[in-house]
Amino acid sequence: GIQVEQSPPDLILQEGANSTLRCNFSDSVNNLQWFHQNPWGQLINLFYIPSGTKQNGRLSATTVATERYSLLYISSSQTTDSGVYFCAVASSNTGNQFYFGTGTSLTVIP
Amino acid sequence: KAGVTQTPRYLIKTRGQQVTLSCSPISGHRSVSWYQQTPGQGLQFLFEYFSETQRNKGNFPGRFSGRQFSNSRSEMNVSTLELGDSALYLCASSLGPASSYEQYFGPGTRLTVT
């Protein structure tokens, strides 16, 4: 299968700070998504980004498929950004099933 | 448009019993995937159904099975429950095969096995 590594595993920020979350993967992928899991367990879609750059409000993401990594940027963080951020990938080389990283746990303090 | 719905939301079962979980995808979505989330193993892929056919299966024992109906609704079944099956079970739907389309997740079913 594909190895998906996320860093850092834990992050504590002051409200208003910026952060960068990283996702490295071990094979070429045809699908990559970023999710935010809220305290009730719901996975919220952030970005569908197998390649390129996208922005949505205070969040943006970049995937450099040739170098096998993706970055999620959070600017002007708010307490509601707290939670776990997951990167998930799928590859036709490994049966097209999805592999999730272990997540980055973000805590934003007021 | 309604999101992915899962029923029941919470479930408590005893070892040795069996359980059936249900997932209704977003209208028009033809693929449904199932995942298990535990503190120790994280999020793991169980299986994917597309147009009523199992397209992919993760590394889980045969006690875990699923099916998809003609209206794209899906069920997963776990037989002979073990304590280790306690987990949050998440389903996701996508327009087409999950590997090529954006997936959307339901709220999950939290299963506790005692």
Side-chain angles (χ1 to χ4, degrees):
Chain A
I2 303 177
Q3 306 303 312
V4 184
E5 296 178 358
Q6 290 187 243
S7 59
D10 298 283
L11 189 57
I12 300 175
L13 296 175
Q14 200 79 38
E15 199 168 27
N18 303 329
S19 61
T20 300
L21 282 57
R22 187 176 179 103
C23 172
N24 292 335
F25 40 93
S26 61
D27 201 347
S28 58
V29 298
N30 43 280
N31 192 334
L32 188 148
Q33 288 187 246
W34 282 97
F35 298 94
H36 174 211
Q37 188 167 42
N38 65 23
W40 297 272
Q42 173 91 50
L43 282 169
I44 310 297
N45 288 40
L46 296 177
F47 294 102
Y48 168 69
I49 189 166
S51 64
T53 298
K54 291 186 177 180
Q55 179 153 9
N56 184 3
R58 297 182 296 103
L59 273 58
S60 63
T62 295
T63 297
V64 184
T66 53
E67 296 187 23
R68 300 182 183 172
Y69 73 89
S70 182
L71 301 174
L72 177 68
Y73 306 96
I74 304 174
S75 64
S76 305
S77 57
Q78 301 174 358
T79 55
T80 51
D81 294 332
S82 296
V84 183
Y85 290 79
F86 288 102
C87 162
V89 303
S91 169
S92 55
N93 294 340
T94 52
N96 288 309
Q97 70 169 266
F98 261 83
Y99 293 89
F100 276 78
T102 52
T104 291
S105 178
L106 173 65
T107 302
V108 181
I109 53 178
Chain B
K1 189 183 271 191
V4 180
T5 58
Q6 291 187 244
T7 55
R9 294 291 313 278
Y10 302 91
L11 205 49
I12 300 175
K13 289 285 189 178
T14 304
R15 267 181 305 175
Q17 289 185 316
Q18 75 164 13
V19 67
T20 298
L21 311 182
S22 180
C23 172
S24 292
I26 292 171
S27 177
H29 285 197
R30 295 167 61 197
S31 171
V32 172
S33 299
W34 288 90
Y35 297 83
Q36 181 196 65
Q37 185 175 26
T38 59
Q41 299 298 317
L43 273 152
Q44 293 185 286
F45 170 78
L46 279 157
F47 28 66
E48 178 191 0
Y49 286 87
F50 177 66
S51 294
E52 301 180 64
T53 301
Q54 187 179 87
R55 188 169 178 268
N56 276 307
K57 190 178 194 311
N59 190 24
F60 278 82
R63 300 185 298 106
F64 292 81
S65 63
R67 60 178 175 168
Q68 187 179 33
F69 302 96
S70 58
N71 62 358
S72 294
R73 190 178 69 86
S74 176
E75 289 181 347
M76 69 162 278
N77 184 77
V78 188
S79 62
T80 320
L81 284 165
E82 301 177 0
L83 293 178
D85 297 333
S86 294
L88 179 65
Y89 289 88
L90 293 161
C91 95
S93 76
S94 52
L95 272 172
S99 56
S100 303
Y101 290 82
E102 185 170 5
Q103 288 191 101
Y104 296 85
F105 280 80
T109 294
R110 196 167 294 276
L111 172 65
T112 302
V113 182
T114 62

